[in-house]
Every structure is written in structure tokens, then in C-alpha cells.
Amino acid sequence: MLKQSRRTIVSLIIVIVALGAVSCTTVPKSGNWPAHHAWEVEPQLSDDLQINLFLDASQSMQGFLTRGSDNRYLPLLEQLESLAGNGGWKKSKAKWWRFGENAVEVPSPDRLFFQAPAFYSERKTNIEKVFEKSRPDDLTVIVTDLFQSRSDVSLLSNRLDDKYLAGMRQSGNHESPAVTPAVAVLGIETRFNGRISELGDVNGQERSVPHVGTLPYYVLILGKLADVERFLQRIDSHFPELGPPSRRVLFTERMLHHLGGKATLGPKRDGYSLETNLIPSATNRDERILQLQVPSKGVGKPTDARHMDVTLDCDLISNGLLFESSALRFSVKPEMAGDDGTFKVDPQVDGVLQVSSVKLEGKQLKLGLDLARDHLRTNRDYRFEVRVFPAESASKLPKPMLDWDLLSTDVEQIIQKNGFGPGKPGRTLNLGVFLQNLRDATFLGKEPPIGILYLYIKAT
């Protein structure tokens, strides 16, 4: 009798355990948590860097040799090579090149070549020749007035996209790029006395006009984001007086140095319980993920939208572009843990998590979120990914730089007047087209994240 009672008790325990196993929530696999985005790590300087300095040797560049205290061309060239030294790179080496119809290396003994008018003898400017001599992994610095043979700035912007903005990015996949490419355009207005050439050709002859006054020249800096930013910083530290006469833009798909790795839940959290140990087998807490427990509906409990406020760090890169923070967009990806513990996209949960507000305040991205609890199944685990990114048109070109733009439709009038007119500053042909092409190549068709948040929700 005693043995039979023991067998009965054991059988009852087995049944209870089995029933408990059926009723418990399916445990998600620990390896099924979201991968970290490559942009969570800040770009690092290259250890061993080759810096190639390319100088436009076209005849129109002679006008920048005008001596005087307001010459901002020669002093920069005199120190351009030294800026590569002690810049934070473990090892760096600079090499000079001249370009016009072709790109040719300048021998080491001729380091003051840029002071001689005879150096600027090229009748054609094919800046794309630079790309045949410099690798994307190098830091490429180009000094030019941006006047191109056949006025073909579109060819230049396309090459910059092919080899840098798109080319370097495609060396890895879009989600986890191997490197972050960048193209900086630094414009410096300085004294000019000479002829502005390459204003379009007539019967195979490039046209030109005399000019005495001011004219901007440009320093294009191409390469990995960290290297490009450091070289710009070196210019700033050595030439603080360039402030007002200079204007710049930095084109890079990455909007911030690193994605914020921590989400902070605000005090307003209707019906949520913030937890830290809901994720199974988590050895370290992932601060990108908010772990929330949501109770089932009941007497005296709200049963529909439950609100929460979330804050993410968001320190945007200073790129010289005008950023409209009102032009922010977002996406929500809903997932549910299946019977095998793997999270999969669940269309039935579309719209359950709503983003009610997105605001960029200083260096913080603030989100308002609402969850419809009634649409979640009790004893199920859910994961929601919320991404915030700018609209394609959020970054705009700054007006001060566009003021230097010379429209192709204005060229005939300048030719007829034989110059820009007394006291008028010189402008750069098709500068606006060139910059707009780079802006579009950087942002059109892209959704670069400025914030990524994950919500792990256990519906009890």
C-alpha cells in the first residue's frame, strides 16, 4: 500500500511538471539577440598612413601667388606637408604631386615648387587623374580652384562617389561597413590677380577672363572619416585666422561618431515594469535593450496604449551642413519568440508599438512610445527594434558656401564684360552642382541611423 502511494505521488509530480512545461513561456535563445551595429564603435585613425598632396598646376592658379598679408594660399601650402607629421598617426608619410592633363609626382628636392609662376603651366585640368595615383586607404589632399576642363564637375563628383563615398562603403556590407568614407571640401577665399580660365570652350579653345580681387580655392580631403577629420583639425590649429574667410562641408554617410549604446527610460511609464534579468542567459546587460514586463488586463488596469518616454545619446558630427531636426523619420520592426525560442518578424504585431514623438534636443534623442497591450499574447516574449534616421533632405548645403557658386548661365555675361566687374568677388563655376551631387550621393536612398532602440517585452 505504501509503495503504491509513493508511485501515485511520483506520477502526480511528473504530471505537474509536464503541465508546468506546457504553460511556461518559451525561452528565447540567448544567441538570438540583436547584433551590434558597426557604428557603435567610433572610427579610429589609421596606424600607417600615406598622405598624397596633389596641387592643381593649371594656368589659372597663378593668380593666387599675389603676395601680401591677405594671401591665404602660399602660407597653407608651405605647411601642408608638415601637417601630416605629429598628427596622431603612429606613422605617416607625405608625397607631393602636380596635376593638370596628367598627375606626376614632384621630386623631393623641389618642395617650394608652388611659389614659382612657371610651375602653373597646364592648359587642361583633369582632376580625375588624381584617382589613378592615390588609393582609397590613403589620405588624399587636393588643392585646386575647381575649374575643370569642359566645366565637367559632374565627372569629378561621380568619381568621388565611385571611389570614396560608395566605393569604400561597399568594401563591406551596408549594415556593417568596413570603413566610414568621407569627402571634405574646405573653401578658402584669398587675394587673386590673374586670369580665371576654363570657363567653357568655344571651337576647342577654353575661355578665360582677367580678375583682380578675391577668389576661393579649395582643399579636398578624401579618405577614412577619422583621418579626414584629423587633417581638418590640423589645419584649424595651425591657421586659426582662416575662420571667416573659409567655409567647409564634410560629406559622410555616418551622422555621428558612434551610435548611443544606452537607452534610458523616463519617469512616465504607464503600466510597465522595468526589469534587468528577463533576458535568459545574459552574461552582461545590454544597455541598448530595455527589458519590460507588461501585465495582462484586469480590474483597475489600463488595457490599451501604455506610454513611455525613452532617451538615447545622439551627438551628431559637425559636418558644416544645415541639419533640419524636424525632418526625422523612424521605423519599427516587431518580432515574437516562436516555439523554438527564435525571434521572427510577426506581421500580426504591426502597429502595436507606436512612436508618438521624436525630438532631437542638444545631444539627446527623445522618443515617445505607446504600446497596445491587448494585441500581445499572454505568456509570450516580444522584441521591437526602433530606428530613427533623417529624411533624405534633412541635410542641406550652407548658403555662405553657395554664395561662391557661378552658374553656367552667367558665364556669357561675364565673358562679355571681360570679368566679374570692379570690386566684385570671383566665384567658382558650377560649385553648387558639384556640392549638390556630393550631398545626393551621400544621403539619397540611405537611412543612416542616429538612434537604435530595442524593447524586450514579456507579456504576463
mmCIF file of all heavy atoms in Angstrom, residues 81-108:
data_model
loop_
_atom_site.group_PDB
_atom_site.id
_atom_site.type_symbol
_atom_site.label_atom_id
_atom_site.label_comp_id
_atom_site.label_asym_id
_atom_site.label_seq_id
_atom_site.Cartn_x
_atom_site.Cartn_y
_atom_site.Cartn_z
ATOM 1 N N GLU A 81 52.582 69.938 -45.907
ATOM 2 C CA GLU A 81 53.261 68.667 -45.677
ATOM 3 C C GLU A 81 53.527 68.437 -44.195
ATOM 4 O O GLU A 81 53.377 67.318 -43.690
ATOM 5 C CB GLU A 81 54.582 68.630 -46.456
ATOM 6 C CG GLU A 81 55.312 67.298 -46.316
ATOM 7 C CD GLU A 81 56.567 67.251 -47.191
ATOM 8 O OE1 GLU A 81 56.754 68.164 -48.032
ATOM 9 O OE2 GLU A 81 57.345 66.287 -47.028
ATOM 10 N N SER A 82 53.879 69.496 -43.471
ATOM 11 C CA SER A 82 54.175 69.336 -42.041
ATOM 12 C C SER A 82 52.928 68.993 -41.234
ATOM 13 O O SER A 82 53.028 68.449 -40.128
ATOM 14 C CB SER A 82 54.815 70.610 -41.482
ATOM 15 O OG SER A 82 53.901 71.699 -41.523
ATOM 16 N N LEU A 83 51.745 69.311 -41.760
ATOM 17 C CA LEU A 83 50.515 68.970 -41.045
ATOM 18 C C LEU A 83 50.347 67.472 -40.906
ATOM 19 O O LEU A 83 49.622 66.994 -40.026
ATOM 20 C CB LEU A 83 49.294 69.550 -41.779
ATOM 21 C CG LEU A 83 49.188 71.071 -41.864
ATOM 22 C CD1 LEU A 83 47.959 71.477 -42.660
ATOM 23 C CD2 LEU A 83 49.140 71.681 -40.475
ATOM 24 N N ALA A 84 51.004 66.723 -41.776
ATOM 25 C CA ALA A 84 50.907 65.265 -41.721
ATOM 26 C C ALA A 84 51.709 64.693 -40.556
ATOM 27 O O ALA A 84 51.423 63.598 -40.077
ATOM 28 C CB ALA A 84 51.395 64.665 -43.032
ATOM 29 N N GLY A 85 52.724 65.421 -40.102
ATOM 30 C CA GLY A 85 53.563 64.948 -39.011
ATOM 31 C C GLY A 85 52.947 65.269 -37.662
ATOM 32 O O GLY A 85 52.279 66.284 -37.489
ATOM 33 N N ASN A 86 53.166 64.397 -36.689
ATOM 34 C CA ASN A 86 52.668 64.582 -35.324
ATOM 35 C C ASN A 86 51.155 64.812 -35.286
ATOM 36 O O ASN A 86 50.650 65.539 -34.442
ATOM 37 C CB ASN A 86 53.375 65.775 -34.648
ATOM 38 C CG ASN A 86 54.874 65.600 -34.591
ATOM 39 O OD1 ASN A 86 55.357 64.504 -34.316
ATOM 40 N ND2 ASN A 86 55.612 66.669 -34.866
ATOM 41 N N GLY A 87 50.463 64.158 -36.194
ATOM 42 C CA GLY A 87 49.013 64.340 -36.244
ATOM 43 C C GLY A 87 48.242 63.273 -35.503
ATOM 44 O O GLY A 87 47.012 63.239 -35.561
ATOM 45 N N GLY A 88 48.940 62.415 -34.806
ATOM 46 C CA GLY A 88 48.269 61.351 -34.079
ATOM 47 C C GLY A 88 48.422 59.999 -34.738
ATOM 48 O O GLY A 88 48.135 58.968 -34.136
ATOM 49 N N TRP A 89 48.914 60.005 -35.975
ATOM 50 C CA TRP A 89 49.175 58.732 -36.644
ATOM 51 C C TRP A 89 50.492 58.161 -36.143
ATOM 52 O O TRP A 89 51.476 58.894 -35.966
ATOM 53 C CB TRP A 89 49.233 58.933 -38.154
ATOM 54 C CG TRP A 89 47.954 59.462 -38.729
ATOM 55 C CD1 TRP A 89 46.813 58.754 -38.959
ATOM 56 C CD2 TRP A 89 47.685 60.805 -39.143
ATOM 57 N NE1 TRP A 89 45.850 59.568 -39.496
ATOM 58 C CE2 TRP A 89 46.344 60.843 -39.619
ATOM 59 C CE3 TRP A 89 48.418 61.995 -39.158
ATOM 60 C CZ2 TRP A 89 45.747 62.001 -40.093
ATOM 61 C CZ3 TRP A 89 47.825 63.149 -39.625
ATOM 62 C CH2 TRP A 89 46.503 63.145 -40.088
ATOM 63 N N LYS A 90 50.541 56.859 -35.946
ATOM 64 C CA LYS A 90 51.781 56.242 -35.479
ATOM 65 C C LYS A 90 52.886 56.412 -36.511
ATOM 66 O O LYS A 90 54.056 56.588 -36.171
ATOM 67 C CB LYS A 90 51.541 54.755 -35.193
ATOM 68 C CG LYS A 90 50.617 54.512 -34.008
ATOM 69 C CD LYS A 90 50.431 53.028 -33.751
ATOM 70 C CE LYS A 90 49.517 52.793 -32.561
ATOM 71 N NZ LYS A 90 49.296 51.350 -32.297
ATOM 72 N N LYS A 91 52.494 56.360 -37.767
ATOM 73 C CA LYS A 91 53.460 56.529 -38.847
ATOM 74 C C LYS A 91 52.760 57.168 -40.021
ATOM 75 O O LYS A 91 51.675 56.739 -40.414
ATOM 76 C CB LYS A 91 54.044 55.174 -39.243
ATOM 77 C CG LYS A 91 55.118 55.235 -40.326
ATOM 78 C CD LYS A 91 55.635 53.844 -40.656
ATOM 79 C CE LYS A 91 56.678 53.873 -41.755
ATOM 80 N NZ LYS A 91 57.148 52.494 -42.103
ATOM 81 N N SER A 92 53.354 58.208 -40.571
ATOM 82 C CA SER A 92 52.757 58.859 -41.744
ATOM 83 C C SER A 92 53.867 59.345 -42.673
ATOM 84 O O SER A 92 54.958 59.699 -42.231
ATOM 85 C CB SER A 92 51.867 60.033 -41.332
ATOM 86 O OG SER A 92 52.622 61.030 -40.665
ATOM 87 N N LYS A 93 53.541 59.342 -43.948
ATOM 88 C CA LYS A 93 54.491 59.780 -44.967
ATOM 89 C C LYS A 93 53.741 60.567 -46.019
ATOM 90 O O LYS A 93 52.685 60.151 -46.486
ATOM 91 C CB LYS A 93 55.191 58.576 -45.595
ATOM 92 C CG LYS A 93 56.196 58.933 -46.687
ATOM 93 C CD LYS A 93 56.801 57.682 -47.291
ATOM 94 C CE LYS A 93 57.790 58.013 -48.401
ATOM 95 N NZ LYS A 93 58.345 56.778 -49.018
ATOM 96 N N ALA A 94 54.284 61.735 -46.385
ATOM 97 C CA ALA A 94 53.624 62.595 -47.364
ATOM 98 C C ALA A 94 54.385 62.583 -48.685
ATOM 99 O O ALA A 94 55.619 62.495 -48.715
ATOM 100 C CB ALA A 94 53.529 64.024 -46.829
ATOM 101 N N LYS A 95 53.628 62.665 -49.765
ATOM 102 C CA LYS A 95 54.205 62.697 -51.106
ATOM 103 C C LYS A 95 53.473 63.768 -51.916
ATOM 104 O O LYS A 95 52.250 63.865 -51.880
ATOM 105 C CB LYS A 95 54.060 61.326 -51.776
ATOM 106 C CG LYS A 95 54.685 61.217 -53.151
ATOM 107 C CD LYS A 95 54.406 59.847 -53.762
ATOM 108 C CE LYS A 95 55.083 58.734 -52.985
ATOM 109 N NZ LYS A 95 54.925 57.417 -53.684
ATOM 110 N N TRP A 96 54.235 64.611 -52.644
ATOM 111 C CA TRP A 96 53.660 65.685 -53.456
ATOM 112 C C TRP A 96 53.446 65.231 -54.905
ATOM 113 O O TRP A 96 54.259 64.494 -55.460
ATOM 114 C CB TRP A 96 54.584 66.911 -53.471
ATOM 115 C CG TRP A 96 54.434 67.837 -52.298
ATOM 116 C CD1 TRP A 96 55.243 67.918 -51.206
ATOM 117 C CD2 TRP A 96 53.422 68.828 -52.120
ATOM 118 N NE1 TRP A 96 54.803 68.900 -50.349
ATOM 119 C CE2 TRP A 96 53.679 69.482 -50.891
ATOM 120 C CE3 TRP A 96 52.320 69.240 -52.873
ATOM 121 C CZ2 TRP A 96 52.890 70.514 -50.400
ATOM 122 C CZ3 TRP A 96 51.526 70.266 -52.385
ATOM 123 C CH2 TRP A 96 51.803 70.892 -51.168
ATOM 124 N N TRP A 97 52.355 65.757 -55.489
ATOM 125 C CA TRP A 97 52.056 65.516 -56.894
ATOM 126 C C TRP A 97 51.574 66.819 -57.525
ATOM 127 O O TRP A 97 51.014 67.680 -56.841
ATOM 128 C CB TRP A 97 50.944 64.476 -57.068
ATOM 129 C CG TRP A 97 51.219 63.149 -56.440
ATOM 130 C CD1 TRP A 97 51.146 62.819 -55.116
ATOM 131 C CD2 TRP A 97 51.587 61.942 -57.116
ATOM 132 N NE1 TRP A 97 51.450 61.498 -54.919
ATOM 133 C CE2 TRP A 97 51.718 60.930 -56.136
ATOM 134 C CE3 TRP A 97 51.812 61.617 -58.460
ATOM 135 C CZ2 TRP A 97 52.063 59.622 -56.451
ATOM 136 C CZ3 TRP A 97 52.147 60.310 -58.775
ATOM 137 C CH2 TRP A 97 52.280 59.325 -57.783
ATOM 138 N N ARG A 98 51.807 66.963 -58.806
ATOM 139 C CA ARG A 98 51.188 68.049 -59.575
ATOM 140 C C ARG A 98 50.233 67.412 -60.572
ATOM 141 O O ARG A 98 50.445 66.285 -61.027
ATOM 142 C CB ARG A 98 52.240 68.901 -60.313
ATOM 143 C CG ARG A 98 52.835 68.235 -61.536
ATOM 144 C CD ARG A 98 54.059 68.956 -62.101
ATOM 145 N NE ARG A 98 53.789 70.301 -62.504
ATOM 146 C CZ ARG A 98 53.386 70.684 -63.719
ATOM 147 N NH1 ARG A 98 53.166 69.767 -64.659
ATOM 148 N NH2 ARG A 98 53.208 71.948 -64.006
ATOM 149 N N PHE A 99 49.139 68.120 -60.890
ATOM 150 C CA PHE A 99 48.231 67.546 -61.875
ATOM 151 C C PHE A 99 47.664 68.641 -62.764
ATOM 152 O O PHE A 99 47.547 69.813 -62.390
ATOM 153 C CB PHE A 99 47.089 66.766 -61.196
ATOM 154 C CG PHE A 99 46.067 67.612 -60.488
ATOM 155 C CD1 PHE A 99 44.925 68.052 -61.157
ATOM 156 C CD2 PHE A 99 46.228 67.967 -59.159
ATOM 157 C CE1 PHE A 99 43.976 68.824 -60.509
ATOM 158 C CE2 PHE A 99 45.291 68.737 -58.504
ATOM 159 C CZ PHE A 99 44.159 69.178 -59.180
ATOM 160 N N GLY A 100 47.385 68.240 -63.962
ATOM 161 C CA GLY A 100 46.765 69.082 -64.985
ATOM 162 C C GLY A 100 46.137 68.123 -65.965
ATOM 163 O O GLY A 100 45.112 67.513 -65.682
ATOM 164 N N GLU A 101 46.786 67.951 -67.107
ATOM 165 C CA GLU A 101 46.311 66.934 -68.040
ATOM 166 C C GLU A 101 46.585 65.539 -67.492
ATOM 167 O O GLU A 101 45.838 64.598 -67.743
ATOM 168 C CB GLU A 101 46.973 67.113 -69.409
ATOM 169 C CG GLU A 101 46.379 66.239 -70.493
ATOM 170 C CD GLU A 101 46.869 66.631 -71.883
ATOM 171 O OE1 GLU A 101 47.747 67.517 -71.975
ATOM 172 O OE2 GLU A 101 46.363 66.051 -72.863
ATOM 173 N N ASN A 102 47.681 65.404 -66.714
ATOM 174 C CA ASN A 102 48.024 64.149 -66.045
ATOM 175 C C ASN A 102 48.486 64.465 -64.630
ATOM 176 O O ASN A 102 48.646 65.634 -64.254
ATOM 177 C CB ASN A 102 49.128 63.411 -66.808
ATOM 178 C CG ASN A 102 48.636 62.910 -68.166
ATOM 179 O OD1 ASN A 102 47.818 61.998 -68.241
ATOM 180 N ND2 ASN A 102 49.128 63.530 -69.247
ATOM 181 N N ALA A 103 48.703 63.440 -63.823
ATOM 182 C CA ALA A 103 49.219 63.597 -62.463
ATOM 183 C C ALA A 103 50.634 63.036 -62.413
ATOM 184 O O ALA A 103 50.869 61.891 -62.808
ATOM 185 C CB ALA A 103 48.329 62.880 -61.464
ATOM 186 N N VAL A 104 51.587 63.861 -61.936
ATOM 187 C CA VAL A 104 53.002 63.493 -61.934
ATOM 188 C C VAL A 104 53.581 63.799 -60.557
ATOM 189 O O VAL A 104 53.318 64.866 -59.981
ATOM 190 C CB VAL A 104 53.784 64.269 -63.017
ATOM 191 C CG1 VAL A 104 55.253 63.853 -62.995
ATOM 192 C CG2 VAL A 104 53.171 64.033 -64.392
ATOM 193 N N GLU A 105 54.373 62.866 -60.026
ATOM 194 C CA GLU A 105 54.975 63.095 -58.712
ATOM 195 C C GLU A 105 56.037 64.188 -58.791
ATOM 196 O O GLU A 105 56.789 64.287 -59.760
ATOM 197 C CB GLU A 105 55.603 61.806 -58.183
ATOM 198 C CG GLU A 105 56.156 61.942 -56.776
ATOM 199 C CD GLU A 105 56.749 60.651 -56.240
ATOM 200 O OE1 GLU A 105 56.597 59.606 -56.923
ATOM 201 O OE2 GLU A 105 57.359 60.680 -55.149
ATOM 202 N N VAL A 106 56.111 65.032 -57.752
ATOM 203 C CA VAL A 106 57.108 66.098 -57.661
ATOM 204 C C VAL A 106 58.287 65.568 -56.850
ATOM 205 O O VAL A 106 58.106 65.103 -55.712
ATOM 206 C CB VAL A 106 56.516 67.348 -56.982
ATOM 207 C CG1 VAL A 106 57.580 68.420 -56.816
ATOM 208 C CG2 VAL A 106 55.337 67.874 -57.782
ATOM 209 N N PRO A 107 59.511 65.599 -57.390
ATOM 210 C CA PRO A 107 60.680 65.088 -56.657
ATOM 211 C C PRO A 107 60.881 65.818 -55.338
ATOM 212 O O PRO A 107 60.549 66.998 -55.181
ATOM 213 C CB PRO A 107 61.846 65.363 -57.616
ATOM 214 C CG PRO A 107 61.207 65.466 -58.966
ATOM 215 C CD PRO A 107 59.857 66.067 -58.736
ATOM 216 N N SER A 108 61.448 65.132 -54.377
ATOM 217 C CA SER A 108 61.638 65.684 -53.032
ATOM 218 C C SER A 108 62.396 67.001 -52.971
ATOM 219 O O SER A 108 62.046 67.883 -52.193
ATOM 220 C CB SER A 108 62.351 64.639 -52.151
ATOM 221 O OG SER A 108 61.563 63.485 -52.012
#
